[in-house]
Amino acid sequence: QVQLVESGGGLVQPGGSLRLSCAASGLAFSSYAMNWYRQVPGKERELVAGIASVARSTNYADSVRGRFTISRDNTKNTVYLQMDSLKLEDTAVYYCNAVHRWRSDLLYWGPGTQVTVSS
């Protein structure tokens, strides 16, 4: 059974930092690109950041580039999202996503973790 479990969410003030983690199990972690998405009520889920399975090239949404950093540790089957200089508009449920490098039909989601930025 494939399982993705996010952790590290919480309440933080504007300008603060949080580090999200996503622990994966039940899959060949190094064969999957990993992504972070976020969603707020009434809006579509949006891609925040992604990292390749092996090459570890990264991509970021324009709204977070320079503030967020995605990384992965293939020995721990874990992907991270370091979030700095947080803004009110970063408030959302953040979801971990895994996509197989060759088979895009192999797609998995975590249950999400709440991030709230408030003064």
Side-chain angles (χ1 to χ4, degrees):
Q1 179 67 43
V2 173
Q3 189 171 42
L4 305 177
V5 181
E6 303 95 338
S7 61
L11 177 65
V12 65
Q13 293 185 339
S17 297
L18 284 174
R19 179 180 170 89
L20 304 183
S21 299
C22 173
S25 61
L27 51 71
F29 185 75
S30 62
S31 295
Y32 286 77
M34 301 298 297
N35 306 287
W36 287 97
Y37 285 76
R38 67 186 181 188
Q39 188 170 28
V40 299
K43 303 190 71 174
E44 292 186 347
R45 190 170 298 185
E46 66 170 344
L47 177 65
V48 176
I51 185 167
S53 58
V54 177
R56 302 188 184 185
S57 57
T58 59
N59 60 280
Y60 298 92
D62 290 342
S63 59
V64 307
R65 186 175 291 108
R67 299 188 298 118
F68 291 10
T69 303
I70 188 171
S71 62
R72 67 190 294 161
D73 186 342
N74 286 352
T75 69
K76 298 181 178 180
N77 288 4
T78 301
V79 63
Y80 306 94
L81 185 67
Q82 178 67 42
M83 304 185 294
D84 299 319
S85 301
L86 283 161
K87 303 176 179 180
L88 296 179
E89 51 264 43
D90 294 320
T91 296
V93 176
Y94 283 71
Y95 296 91
C96 181
N97 162 266
V99 181
H100 195 277
R101 58 191 295 189
W102 300 316
R103 293 187 57 183
S104 59
D105 58 307
L106 298 179
L107 176 68
Y108 306 99
W109 294 92
T113 185
Q114 177 71 47
V115 172
T116 302
V117 184
S118 176
S119 60

